[in-house]
Amino acid sequence: MRKADHTEKKKQNRKSRKIYVTAIAVMLAIAAFVGTYQATANVADNLAGSDISILGKLNDVVSGDFGTATTNAKLNRMKTDVDSVRSSVSRMIQPYVGSLTLWVDSNSGSYAGQTVTVTNAKGKSQEGRFVARNGHYEVGFPSLIKGSYSVRYPFLMSGGTKVSLTCSVNVTGTIKQQLFGDLFQMSMAEIQQACKDGEIHQFAHIGDTISDGTYTYTVIGINQDKPSDASGNLLNSSKYKDVLTVMPLGAPTGAANGSSVAFNMSATPWGTTDVEQDDLTSTLTPYFEKLPKATQNVIGYVQKCTGAYDEHFSLTVLSTTGNRCFLLSSREVFGSQGSSCCSSTEYNATFQYRYFSDLAITAESRNLYHNCWLLRSIHPSRGQHMYVYDGTTIDMGGWFRSGSFFPAFCIY
């Protein structure tokens, strides 16, 4: 072979290899970003003559020089190489990538096409849409970098109300998670998030009882308390949305039924042990610390007003504090009945919780334990903490120096 012919053939082989490498690169890019590329030789074996000499048979392989191989042989080599690279890439990224499937326990067609958004810690978002599958509606995110994600999703309540809720999920592999709009299935963190989203008033009701797995908490107020800092200074209203006030009464978890709950003090954080009046303030902190950490984390400070003595031992001043855990005042329980017991200053600065104005309206429903449970209000003439006696009468005689302990707190 002449030197010029040999040189020309080398140039052709280099050109063929360059085209081959470029083609593989293009297909890998398509496979990586689209995930649907199929490399295959699909020319039928019914060609004849010069055509088959160029295209080759379906199962041709490169047995010698790549540049002189048939088209099908080149395609088959490329498919083998692409599959090998894809398998290697898959093994390389497997420790870093997971998948997420989210679903709602509903077959309502209203979910079809509803958008779900997942956002990673850096603020990057992906969207998916609910489709009918496996007897419910679900959405899949088949390729997510492992880590924590915030999920924003729609939930359809009874009566057709749609709320937009948020939850968190940690993608550690192949994760399947149910989405809730049911207050009684939510975690405490999800309940707090629904408050932050301003949605919980759409599906929580006075008298509902929720659980953190250790204790239960009955809703006594919705958007009645005002969030504050630890000193009692009110927060700007732009800093919060819904506020849920709850009280551990030991009641069974479940929806309100139009009446007061069946309380059980032995199932509350403090149990059936009485507290001395002189120890009320110092006992609030250990009470709070008995709550599970997940519950402590969702509790915020709210402003509380209590009548206090001035230098002339007259209840004409008001003590304003920020509290995460607090006893109820006389008016918060009895409403207008409290005007004859607490100071007028305190009365004018407080309100009645809806649980006691709407549901717990009988003596029996307010008689929580041992006929006597303590309030934070100070009796105007006796200077002692007031208490609820027999469910109907606030302390007028100072007979008790101790009583049952039923603090409350707020989630927002």
Side-chain angles (χ1 to χ4, degrees):
M1 178 182 294
R2 291 181 305 164
K3 182 176 181 180
D5 292 339
H6 180 71
T7 300
E8 181 64 26
K9 185 173 182 180
K10 288 177 65 179
K11 288 182 179 179
Q12 291 176 350
N13 285 339
R14 284 198 297 270
K15 185 176 182 180
S16 296
R17 286 195 296 271
K18 184 177 181 180
I19 294 172
Y20 168 63
V21 170
T22 302
I24 286 185
V26 170
M27 285 189 287
L28 281 175
I30 294 173
F33 291 100
V34 179
T36 57
Y37 186 86
Q38 296 294 328
T40 182
N42 55 4
V43 178
D45 278 333
N46 58 359
L47 302 176
S50 61
D51 291 335
I52 200 168
S53 68
I54 297 173
L55 298 177
K57 295 184 179 181
L58 188 65
N59 60 353
D60 271 358
V61 296
V62 177
S63 58
D65 182 66
F66 183 85
T68 59
T70 65
T71 299
N72 270 338
K74 293 175 181 176
L75 287 173
N76 286 332
R77 167 68 69 83
M78 291 168 68
K79 179 182 185 304
T80 299
D81 290 347
V82 167
D83 288 345
S84 176
V85 172
R86 177 181 287 165
S87 177
S88 297
V89 170
S90 178
R91 288 194 299 270
M92 289 172 61
I93 67 174
Q94 187 175 10
Y96 309 103
V97 176
S99 66
L100 176 63
T101 300
L102 303 165
W103 58 280
V104 292
D105 188 16
S106 174
N107 57 12
S108 170
S110 299
Y111 277 106
Q114 296 279 352
T115 300
V116 177
T117 304
V118 296
T119 305
N120 66 16
K122 294 183 178 180
K124 301 295 184 180
S125 298
Q126 294 187 41
E127 289 187 350
R129 297 184 183 275
F130 279 124
V131 296
R133 188 182 296 130
N134 300 320
H136 54 233
Y137 276 86
E138 64 180 45
V139 57
F141 297 89
S143 183
L144 293 176
I145 300 298
K146 291 180 179 179
S148 179
Y149 288 82
S150 172
V151 180
R152 186 75 170 167
Y153 63 97
F155 201 95
L156 301 175
M157 311 302 297
S158 59
T161 301
K162 183 174 80 170
V163 296
S164 183
L165 301 174
T166 307
C167 70
S168 298
V169 60
N170 191 23
V171 177
T172 57
T174 300
I175 303 298
K176 294 183 179 181
Q177 180 163 315
Q178 183 178 357
L179 300 173
F180 299 118
D182 185 339
L183 182 70
F184 312 106
Q185 294 175 311
M186 288 180 167
S187 68
M188 298 302 281
E190 289 170 335
I191 290 173
Q192 182 192 40
Q193 187 61 57
C195 290
K196 290 182 176 181
D197 292 339
E199 297 285 1
I200 204 156
H201 72 275
Q202 300 266 29
F203 55 94
H205 305 88
I206 300 298
D208 286 345
T209 297
I210 58 178
S211 174
D212 60 12
T214 301
Y215 303 111
T216 65
Y217 311 92
T218 298
V219 177
I220 64 171
I222 300 174
N223 291 333
Q224 289 188 273
D225 278 297
K226 302 295 184 183
S228 73
D229 61 20
S231 299
N233 301 306
L234 291 178
L235 300 184
N236 188 291
S237 59
S238 64
K239 301 295 185 181
Y240 63 90
K241 291 187 178 178
D242 286 345
V243 181
L244 202 66
T245 306
V246 299
M247 191 173 180
L249 297 174
T253 303
N257 61 6
S259 60
S260 60
V261 299
F263 49 84
N264 177 12
M265 191 171 182
S266 62
T268 64
W270 199 255
T272 58
T273 303
D274 282 354
V275 174
E276 295 290 329
Q277 286 201 25
D278 294 341
D279 298 331
L280 283 182
T281 302
S282 61
T283 307
L284 288 171
T285 297
Y287 183 98
F288 179 84
E289 292 173 347
K290 285 179 175 290
L291 303 175
K293 289 294 184 183
T295 299
Q296 293 182 31
N297 291 340
V298 304
I299 297 172
Y301 287 95
V302 292
Q303 186 186 81
K304 284 297 163 185
C305 298
T306 309
Y309 283 104
D310 62 15
E311 65 272 20
H312 303 293
F313 296 96
S314 174
L315 275 171
T316 59
V317 297
L318 196 67
S319 171
T320 301
T321 57
N323 301 87
R324 288 190 298 175
C325 187
F326 53 88
L327 293 176
L328 302 191
S329 72
S330 61
R331 189 180 181 190
E332 286 169 351
V333 177
F334 287 93
S336 61
Q337 297 179 41
S339 62
S340 62
C341 296
C342 68
S343 69
S344 59
T345 307
E346 177 183 303
Y347 177 79
N348 292 329
T350 53
F351 55 86
Q352 185 180 26
Y353 282 114
R354 286 179 53 204
Y355 176 77
F356 294 100
S357 65
D358 299 353
L359 302 181
I361 57 177
T362 65
E364 182 181 4
S365 63
R366 289 172 170 166
N367 185 17
L368 297 182
Y369 188 75
H370 278 181
N371 299 327
C372 172
W373 54 284
L374 294 162
L375 303 173
R376 74 172 186 275
S377 298
I378 303 295
H379 193 280
S381 62
R382 297 189 177 275
Q384 298 173 348
H385 281 276
M386 296 159 55
Y387 49 81
V388 179
Y389 175 66
D390 202 24
T392 58
T393 307
I394 297 174
D395 170 35
M396 297 299 292
W399 301 322
F400 296 100
R401 296 297 302 174
S402 64
S404 302
F405 200 53
F406 288 98
F409 55 81
C410 294
I411 303 170
Y412 61 86

